[in-house]
Amino acid sequence: MTVNFRKTTQTNHNNNDIKQELIQELLRQAKLTFNLALSVTAASAMMTLGGVGLLYFNKVSEASLIAGGGALATITSIQLAKQTKEELLEIIEKSDG
């Protein structure tokens, strides 16, 4: 009975290559998601400041709407960034194991 070690080694090597490519793609997507969350946070912070500025011009209803929208967008983007970080940590743990 003969075992083809070359074929087994080649298969393992191909599986490792595929695994590395998947990890790289997941990391790329996580970076893009984080950058998007950062951009949304910056934009929503400016919206919130605009809403505060409208308060000085006695436009209370408009200010409330804009400031509320900005705060909601900030909270959502922070949750997205946190979720992305947790996914990255999970990917790292799985790749080590």
Side-chain angles (χ1 to χ4, degrees):
M1 180 170 144
T2 60
V3 178
N4 191 349
F5 289 111
R6 176 182 245 172
K7 186 175 182 179
T8 304
T9 304
Q10 186 177 11
T11 303
N12 288 340
H13 183 65
N14 289 340
N15 287 341
N16 287 338
D17 288 344
I18 292 170
K19 184 177 179 182
Q20 286 300 322
E21 287 178 21
L22 288 173
I23 290 171
Q24 289 301 316
E25 178 61 21
L26 289 171
L27 287 172
R28 185 189 70 79
Q29 289 178 8
K31 287 177 187 177
L32 290 174
T33 303
F34 180 79
N35 288 337
L36 176 66
L38 187 63
S39 300
V40 169
T41 301
S44 63
M46 291 193 299
M47 282 177 56
T48 303
L49 290 175
V52 171
L54 285 173
L55 282 174
Y56 287 111
F57 295 111
N58 290 324
K59 305 231 182 220
V60 177
S61 61
E62 292 91 345
S64 298
L65 181 64
I66 291 175
L72 183 62
T74 300
I75 291 169
T76 304
S77 64
I78 288 171
Q79 288 176 343
L80 181 63
K82 181 181 176 188
Q83 180 183 357
T84 302
K85 179 182 174 185
E86 289 171 355
E87 289 173 359
L88 271 177
L89 291 174
E90 186 177 320
I91 290 167
I92 291 169
E93 288 174 4
K94 286 182 180 180
S95 68
D96 289 340

